[in-house]
C-alpha cells in the first residue's frame, strides 16, 4: 500500500468512526484505559495556564500547583507531552525538585497548534516509566516502545497485523522512526527481534547491532511478549469502531504498560519489514469496508505520469490549484 492509498482510501474507509478521537486526546484516553483496568503510566494531571487539572480535579495551572504532586523535598522524574501530540513531538522530561520547575514550565510554550486538524490544550504530566533491563541495555537514551498493530474486523476477530520494536539512538528524547530511531521487526508469534532499519531520510540502513551501544539485538526475545500481545488485544477489543490501531507499549520490569493507541499509525515503519500490507487475506478483509486495491503495478508510462502529477500537486502551483484527483 502506498502513501496516497493509505491516506485517501484506507484511513477514510476503515477508521472513520468517532472512537479514533478518543485515541487522539491523550488526556481523555488515559481515563478510558484506566477505567477498563488496562495498565497505563501513572498520570498526574493536565498542565495548562487556564485549563490545567489534576486527576483529582484540582487546579494545575501554576508552578505552585505541582507542590502537592511531589514527595516532600524529594526529586521527581516527570514526562510532559502534548495532549494531542503526534510522532514523538515536543516530549520533555523534568528531573529535579518542584522548586526548580518554574523555568521549565516557561519553556514549554503553547500546545494549541493544529494536531489532527483541531486543538488540544495542555500538557499531560506522567511519571516516567522504567523500561526492562534487556531493552535498557540495547538503548538507554529513551524509552524503547513496542508497537503492535491490530485489526478488529466486522466478525469480532482481532488480528495482529504487524509488530515492531522502536529503538532510539543517541541523544533522542523519543523513539520516533522519523527522528532517527530504528524500526526493528518482531515476530508476532515468538517475540524474537529481526533486523532493524532507519527511515529513508536517515539512509534506510539495516542493523543487527545497535549503532551506539553495539549490542547485538537480532534474535533477542522481547520480554513479556505474550503479555504485550494480550494487552494490545484487550485494548483493541474496546475499539471496534476504530478497527486498525497501532498500540504503543512500554515493557517495564513488572510487565507491559500501554502508553497510547494511534489510529493514524505509520505504515512505512512496519510495512518495510514485509512484502507489503496488502496480502490476499488482508484484501479479502478490506472488501467488507468497500475497499479494493489494484493487484498489479501500472505500466511504466502511467507510473511516470503518476509521479510527475504527484510532484506537481506538491509544488507551489499544485498547492494553489489543487483539486481532487485519482488515487495513485
Amino acid at each position: 500500500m502506498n502513501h496516497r492509498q493509505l491516506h485517501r482510501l484506507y484511513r477514510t474507509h476503515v477508521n472513520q468512526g468517532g472512537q479514533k478521537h478518543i485515541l487522539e486526546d491523550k488526556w481523555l484516553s488515559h481515563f478510558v484505559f484506566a477505567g477498563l483496568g488496562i495498565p497505563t503510566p501513572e498520570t498526574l494531571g493536565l498542565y495548562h495556564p487556564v485549563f490545567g487539572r489534576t486527576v483529582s480535579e484540582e487546579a494545575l495551572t501554576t508552578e505552585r500547583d505541582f507542590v502537592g504532586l511531589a514527595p516532600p523535598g524529594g526529586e521527581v522524574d516527570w514526562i510532559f507531552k502534548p495532549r494531542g501530540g503526534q510522532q514523538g513531538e515536543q516530549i520533555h522530561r523534568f528531573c529535579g525538585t518542584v522548586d526548580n520547575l518554574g523555568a521549565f514550565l516557561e519553556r514549554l510554550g503553547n500546545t494549541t497548534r493544529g494536531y489532527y486538524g483541531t486543538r488540544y490544550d495542555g500538557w499531560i504530566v506522567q511519571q516516567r516509566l522504567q523500561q526492562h533491563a534487556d531493552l535498557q541495555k540495547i538503548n538507554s537514551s529513551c524509552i524503547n516502545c513496542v508497537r503492535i498493530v491490530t485489526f478488529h474486523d466486522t466478525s469480532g476477530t482481532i488480528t495482529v497485523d504487524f509488530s515492531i520494536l522502536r529503538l532510539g539512538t543517541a541523544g533522542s528524547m523519543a523513539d520516533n522512526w522519523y527522528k532517527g530511531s530504528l524500526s526493528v521487526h518482531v515476530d508476532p508469534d515468538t517475540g524474537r527481534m529481526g533486523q532493524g532499519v532507519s527511515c529513508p531520510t536517515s539512509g534506510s540502513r539495516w542493523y543487527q547491532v545497535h549503532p551506539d551501544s553495539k549490542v547485538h539485538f537480532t534474535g533477542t526475545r522481547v520480554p513479556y511478549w505474550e503479555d504485550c500481545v494480550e494487552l494490545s488485544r484487550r485494548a483493541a477489543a474496546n475499539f471496534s469502531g476504530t478497527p486498525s490501531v497501532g498500540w504503543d507499549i512500554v515493557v517495564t520490569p513488572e510487565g507491559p504498560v500501554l502508553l497510547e493507541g494511534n489510529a493514524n499509525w505509520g505504515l512505512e515503519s512496519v510495512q518495510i519489514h514485509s512484502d507489503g500490507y496488502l496480502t490476499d487475506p488482508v484484501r479479502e478483509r478490506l472488501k467488507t469496508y468497500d475497499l479494493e486495491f489494484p493487484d498489479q503495478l501500472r505500466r511504466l508510462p502511467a507510473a511516470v505520469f503518476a509521479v510527475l502529477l504527484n510532484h506537481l500537486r506538491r509544488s507551489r502551483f499544485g498547492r494553489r490549484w489543487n483539486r481532487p484527483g485519482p488515487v495513485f
Side-chain angles (χ1 to χ4, degrees):
M1 187 188 301
N2 63 36
H3 186 78
R4 287 178 62 79
Q5 289 170 339
L6 172 69
H7 289 273
R8 294 289 186 89
L9 293 177
Y10 184 85
R11 286 179 176 168
T12 56
H13 283 69
V14 175
N15 285 347
Q16 59 180 325
Q19 284 186 346
K20 65 184 178 183
H21 299 302
I22 298 176
L23 298 176
E24 293 173 2
D25 188 333
K26 307 302 189 292
W27 176 240
L28 179 59
S29 62
H30 159 72
F31 292 101
V32 172
F33 293 129
L36 293 168
I38 293 175
T40 59
E42 181 181 353
T43 300
L44 305 175
L46 175 75
Y47 168 70
H48 187 272
V50 177
F51 307 113
R53 308 286 289 174
T54 67
V55 292
S56 57
E57 300 187 353
E58 302 291 334
L60 193 59
T61 59
T62 67
E63 176 186 0
R64 190 184 320 151
D65 296 331
F66 283 88
V67 173
L69 301 178
E75 293 200 354
V76 300
D77 192 353
W78 290 340
I79 295 295
F80 288 70
K81 63 181 182 181
R83 178 177 183 171
Q86 291 179 302
Q87 297 183 349
E89 290 187 353
Q90 296 296 312
I91 294 178
H92 302 277
R93 180 183 181 185
F94 176 78
C95 296
T97 62
V98 176
D99 296 340
N100 300 315
L101 188 61
F104 173 86
L105 296 178
E106 290 180 3
R107 292 194 301 268
L108 282 181
N110 197 345
T111 60
T112 58
R113 55 175 295 182
Y115 293 112
Y116 300 104
T118 184
R119 57 182 284 170
Y120 289 101
D121 295 301
W123 299 84
I124 306 295
V125 186
Q126 296 177 326
Q127 295 281 7
R128 186 176 186 269
L129 292 170
Q130 299 297 319
Q131 65 183 337
H132 194 282
D134 290 355
L135 302 181
Q136 179 77 3
K137 180 174 62 175
I138 300 174
N139 171 63
S140 60
S141 69
C142 65
I143 300 295
N144 307 287
C145 290
V146 168
R147 168 162 289 183
I148 298 178
V149 179
T150 59
F151 198 101
H152 192 168
D153 67 25
T154 54
S155 72
T157 301
I158 298 173
T159 305
V160 174
D161 281 346
F162 296 106
S163 53
I164 62 170
L165 172 68
R166 297 198 304 256
L167 290 176
T169 51
S172 57
M173 188 62 204
D175 60 357
N176 184 269
W177 194 50
Y178 303 100
K179 298 184 185 300
S181 74
L182 305 182
S183 169
V184 179
H185 177 258
V186 178
D187 187 304
D189 297 321
T190 67
R192 298 276 177 192
M193 301 180 203
Q195 293 191 80
V197 61
S198 61
C199 77
T201 56
S202 299
S204 296
R205 297 182 178 88
W206 290 87
Y207 298 88
Q208 296 185 22
V209 175
H210 193 277
D212 302 315
S213 67
K214 309 305 179 186
V215 173
H216 187 279
F217 55 79
T218 299
T220 301
R221 192 170 187 272
V222 175
Y224 294 108
W225 181 248
E226 290 83 0
D227 295 335
C228 290
V229 174
E230 177 59 25
L231 181 59
S232 69
R233 290 181 178 277
R234 282 184 61 194
N238 293 282
F239 281 84
S240 58
T242 306
S244 182
V245 179
W247 305 102
D248 289 346
I249 296 171
V250 178
V251 184
T252 74
E254 293 76 31
V257 172
L258 180 63
L259 192 61
E260 61 186 36
N262 297 275
N264 293 338
W265 53 272
L267 176 68
E268 298 90 345
S269 63
V270 292
Q271 185 172 249
I272 196 171
H273 296 289
S274 69
D275 293 329
Y277 180 49
L278 296 175
T279 61
D280 290 340
V282 169
R283 289 177 182 274
E284 286 300 313
R285 177 209 295 165
L286 294 179
K287 287 180 181 179
T288 63
Y289 298 88
D290 298 322
L291 272 178
E292 292 193 49
F293 295 91
D295 56 5
Q296 293 183 348
L297 295 175
R298 59 179 69 243
R299 295 181 181 276
L300 183 60
V304 171
F305 174 76
V307 171
L308 293 175
L309 185 58
N310 284 337
H311 278 291
L312 177 62
R313 283 187 175 131
R314 294 176 183 177
S315 69
R316 181 179 301 177
F317 176 83
R319 288 193 297 270
R320 182 176 179 182
W321 299 101
N322 185 38
R323 295 173 181 173
V327 177
F328 296 103

